[in-house]
Amino acid sequence: MSWVDLGPAEPAAPDEVRDVRVGARLVGLARVGEGWVAFDPWCTHAECPLTDGWLEGDALRCACHGALFDLSTGAPLEGPAVEPIRLFPTRVVDEHIEADVG
């Protein structure tokens, strides 16, 4: 695994969704409950930025066309998307969020 630092795990608003730049790559990051979920930030339907969307419980709603993705599996729960989003393993080390974005 190749862990990268996504920034401090500072207190965040519940249901926070943001993007983080890792080199030339963007990674989506969502505060779900007491943990963090890192994901590929582009909707599999029309490549809209999922970080413009919002959380609905443990799922992420795309702001462009309304696709809903399960943040525990990446699977689409509602269309129009039919392909899952990629999720990345995350952990908190020394109060920083890390993800394996391999």
Side-chain angles (χ1 to χ4, degrees), residues 1-83:
M1 292 195 163
S2 178
W3 296 95
V4 295
D5 187 349
L6 299 181
E10 59 197 24
D15 301 336
E16 179 178 335
V17 179
R18 64 180 184 226
D19 56 25
V20 177
R21 185 159 297 281
V22 178
R25 178 182 202 164
L26 280 179
V27 175
L29 191 60
R31 177 76 170 176
V32 179
E34 296 300 314
W36 294 92
V37 177
F39 55 92
D40 188 344
W42 308 108
C43 181
T44 57
H45 168 248
E47 296 188 19
C48 290
L50 289 171
T51 53
D52 287 348
W54 58 91
L55 292 176
E56 295 181 8
D58 294 341
L60 179 61
R61 176 82 61 190
C62 180
C64 289
H65 301 107
L68 184 67
F69 296 92
D70 182 329
L71 287 180
S72 64
T73 65
L77 299 173
E78 295 178 12
V82 295
E83 296 294 322

